Amino acid sequence: MGKISFVFLNQKTRSAPTNWPIVGMLPELIQNIHRSHDYVTEILKESGGTFEFKGPLFGNMDMVITCDPANIQHIFSKKFSNYPKGPEFRKIFEILGDGIFNADFELWELHRRTTLSLMSHENFYGSLERTVWQKVETGLIPVLDYFCKQGTDFDMQDVLQRFSFDSTCQFFLNYDPGSLSPDLPNVPCEKALSDALEPLFHRHIVPKSVWKVQKWLEIGNEKKLLEAWKAFDDFIYPHISVEGNQGKDNDVNVFASFKNAYEESDLKFSGDLTHFLRDTFLGLLFAGRDSLSSSLTWFFWLISKNPWVEIKIQEEIETVLQIKRNENWRFFSVEESHKLVYLHAALCETLRLFPPIALELKAPTEPDIFPGGNICVDQNTKVIISFYSTGRMESVWGEDCLEFKPDRWILPGGQRVKHESSFKFPAFNAGPRTCPGKKMAFIQMKMVAATIMHHFQVQVLESHLVAPRDAVMLKAKNGLKVKLSRKVHGIEA
Ligand code: HEM
């Protein structure tokens, strides 16, 4: 099976960066900024999974970078209360306000409690199924069919982002912004979700004083971020309505639940109720739209490089679900998605190699020593955890760690997916902050992937260069340029 390699992965093996007087290791980081995830992975590989990065003098950029499962367990689970996201994270992600991604301690507990209670609502998954079905039927299929009939290539990542954006808004806001149609309309908030990712990533790696000045002058990346901020606000505020979802029969009402939580709490929020609801929804939008579309984009790219995996998924859809031939458009239910074991395994394998949230930032509140005893951190240390690198360590996943092998996830007998510890497979985070949307994510990914694979042959353009973007979400830098052809009776037309 072919190894995953991007053009830049074939460069010489790098050793750890030099620690220069005054500027520290910053010059080499900047030199490699265009391939930061792979650069960090190379360094971590050579240094046994953990590395101490020295920033410039007075730059407040000293960091410990790790991808070691033992450290992940220590930080995310055993010593959870010593490793909040911290004030630094909050400053970087100020755009998310009081939302769950930014929150620590009591504010985080309030969000977590309310989110989990919403997700355990008896109608949650029924409502999800209706929303996804409707969007697949009225948005995704017509758009893909259009490009298929035109015979033109298009950016699959863009289409998947639009799909996730519309369905997440429909699900949580009860409003479909209609970004997914054949003319691919410009919906500023949808575009802003992509535009904000690079500036947010840059805030992790340039000294704070630099981005603060840029923000004040409204230039460069910071200008982009301010524009995205405005686009979010213009889109979300008019749609915040506590009564919004009550027209739908017994559906999940996000705003009413968070309004109650806000009103019953003694916490000091940074703004009023409307502000809080805006921050809550923006967090869900980031979570829902970006992680799903990014995972599916990498999935279709990996499938195109590994056609035998596509054949196995296709066979599974037809045999396990006993799909009758001659069927016209066919959609897949939540119930059916649970039966697609091999597809589930292929998605896990995608997330191992391309976790949409590629890194995490933590700020210790008390001095601490990592397991193994040789790394000490304190209140001034930033801890960066690279989930991207964890999936690419031979020491964790074996010599074939760069190969796309869904079979590594299948238990003997072929009927069940193997459970891997979240410290070894942290794509959904680990410990008390484990992603609450994991089940929801797999359901949606499987419904969408199965529908597309059952109806279309996806062909990635040979000339198209695919590489990860240097952003907080692991997107494909140049999108995913594909051409489609229609499958008839499970066979390519
Ligand atoms: C493949 C899809 C997904 C992946 C890989 C994923 C991964 C993650 C990760 C790594 C985190 C931790 C982020 C952080 O703490 O900074 C997280 C948190 C979260 N995710 Fe997901 N997620 C996915 C889909 C979803 C979906 C569809 C939802 C539902 C809207 C969702 C809701 C959340 C929420 C609310 C949190 C915050 C949890 C907390 O801090 O306690 N996720 N997710």
Side-chain angles (χ1 to χ4, degrees), residues 8 15 17 26 107-108 114 120 132 161 177 206 218 240 249 256 263 274 290 311 344 349 388 392 398 413 442:
F8 44 68
S15 51
L26 190 61
L107 178 59
W108 167 72
T114 316
S120 58
V132 177
Q161 282 172 183
V206 299
E218 298 189 15
I240 291 178
D249 47 343
E263 286 174 347
T274 323
D290 276 326
I311 293 168
H344 193 107
E349 185 67 345
Y388 180 84
R392 287 156 189 264
F442 271 112

Side-chain angles (χ1 to χ4, degrees), residues 72 355 357 386-387 390-391 421-430:
I72 296 181
I357 298 179
S386 170
F387 295 160
T390 310
S421 109
S422 53
F423 312 120
K424 179 178 170 186
F425 175 56
F428 289 98
N429 221 6

Side-chain angles (χ1 to χ4, degrees), residues 100-113:
I100 187 166
F101 281 100
N102 247 359
D104 281 315
F105 308 116
E106 289 93 344
L107 178 59
W108 167 72
E109 279 169 20
L110 175 146
H111 271 291
R112 181 94 193 168
R113 232 184 6 254

Side-chain angles (χ1 to χ4, degrees), residues 32-50:
N32 287 282
I33 205 85
H34 61 288
R35 53 179 216 102
S36 52
H37 295 298
D38 285 291
Y39 176 58
V40 165
T41 306
E42 285 166 18
I43 296 173
L44 288 172
K45 206 169 175 177
E46 287 174 24
S47 42
T50 304

